[in-house]
Amino acid sequence: MISKQILVPYRGRSHHLQQFIPHMKSYLPDADIVVIEQEEGKPFNRGKLINVGFLETIPDYFVAHDVDMLPVDVDYSQNSGVTQLAGSNIQIKDYLGGVTMFDGETFRKVGGYHNDYFHRAEDNEVRFNLHRLKIPVLELHRKFKTLPHTRRAPEFIAALWQKAQEPRQVQDQLSICEYEVLSRERHKGYLHIKVSI
């Protein structure tokens, strides 16, 4: 049986999570939702949390899904490769954030997300990595309701954008993804994994 998962990198947005879980369970009742929460102490690392979620669950395919994006008109049917389901008003071209679907084999080939991007640009880095590997991205932008939240840092950081374009020193970031699972709890409707990275 093919496993389908929604991997949600998360920290400190309980008000969003309280809306996201029931909405997703209603919208996609057969999905296995996995929330990967980063403990406090370091800047948020979305890419590494997605890697952790993948390594802890080994799905056949999954959707990396931000907690503040609620589907309105979205088809989560499985596609091979990489499928971008959300668009961006800020980054019009080559956006790969918010809601992105991978099949497990392709995610391993890509090497996962880079582990060293805290706060921003992890999506840009993996997009440049896909270009270098000649792996196309299927653009199927759909409609989401974005929950409001306050930005704690600039949306665009030029130095990170430049760094994201550099080839990886270690291509397979999954193989060097270091973390510690602090707790693993099954709640009504989702699995909650808290980690130290």
Side-chain angles (χ1 to χ4, degrees):
M1 182 178 177
I2 292 176
S3 63
K4 170 174 52 178
Q5 292 188 330
I6 307 294
L7 300 183
V8 186
Y10 169 80
R11 184 176 68 184
R13 290 192 188 175
S14 60
H15 57 297
H16 286 169
L17 190 63
Q18 289 167 8
Q19 296 175 71
F20 181 84
I21 297 297
H23 184 91
M24 287 303 295
K25 292 309 290 184
S26 174
Y27 194 91
L28 206 63
D30 62 335
D32 184 14
I33 300 172
V34 181
V35 175
I36 310 96
E37 180 179 1
Q38 177 181 330
E39 73 168 346
E40 296 293 335
K42 293 181 181 178
F44 189 61
N45 189 325
R46 178 179 178 272
K48 189 168 186 178
L49 292 176
I50 295 167
N51 287 349
V52 171
F54 179 80
L55 291 168
E56 286 294 310
T57 59
I58 315 296
D60 296 305
Y61 84 101
F62 70 93
V63 182
H65 208 303
D66 285 1
V67 73
D68 61 356
M69 300 186 73
L70 306 183
V72 175
D73 178 19
V74 185
D75 183 358
Y76 289 92
S77 299
Q78 180 179 1
N79 289 307
S80 60
V82 185
T83 305
Q84 179 60 28
L85 295 174
S88 170
N89 295 327
I90 297 168
Q91 184 180 335
I92 305 300
K93 186 175 183 298
D94 284 347
Y95 178 65
L96 200 75
V99 186
T100 309
M101 184 185 303
F102 294 87
D103 72 64
E105 183 179 342
T106 300
F107 195 66
R108 286 195 179 280
K109 182 177 180 182
V110 171
Y113 283 82
H114 202 293
N115 293 308
D116 294 342
Y117 282 75
F118 289 86
H119 172 64
R120 286 280 182 268
E122 81 293 327
D123 50 347
N124 303 127
E125 192 281 337
V126 81
R127 186 80 187 224
F128 286 122
N129 189 38
L130 287 165
H131 282 312
R132 284 190 293 273
L133 296 171
K134 297 184 170 36
I135 297 174
V137 176
L138 179 61
E139 304 282 353
L140 293 179
H141 299 179
R142 304 303 294 172
K143 186 175 181 182
F144 293 87
K145 175 185 176 183
T146 303
L147 301 174
H149 63 279
T150 303
R151 300 284 182 191
R152 295 182 182 175
E155 192 66 44
F156 177 77
I157 301 173
L160 282 179
W161 174 258
Q162 291 299 321
K163 179 184 174 187
Q165 298 177 57
E166 299 171 4
R168 294 179 175 183
Q169 292 184 349
V170 178
Q171 175 59 35
D172 185 2
Q173 290 288 303
L174 294 170
S175 69
I176 60 169
C177 183
E178 296 182 357
Y179 62 95
E180 177 187 357
V181 173
L182 302 176
S183 63
R184 186 183 187 105
E185 299 177 349
R186 175 62 69 175
H187 297 276
K188 186 176 180 182
Y190 69 103
L191 174 64
H192 189 158
I193 303 173
K194 187 168 184 179
V195 298
S196 171
I197 60 172

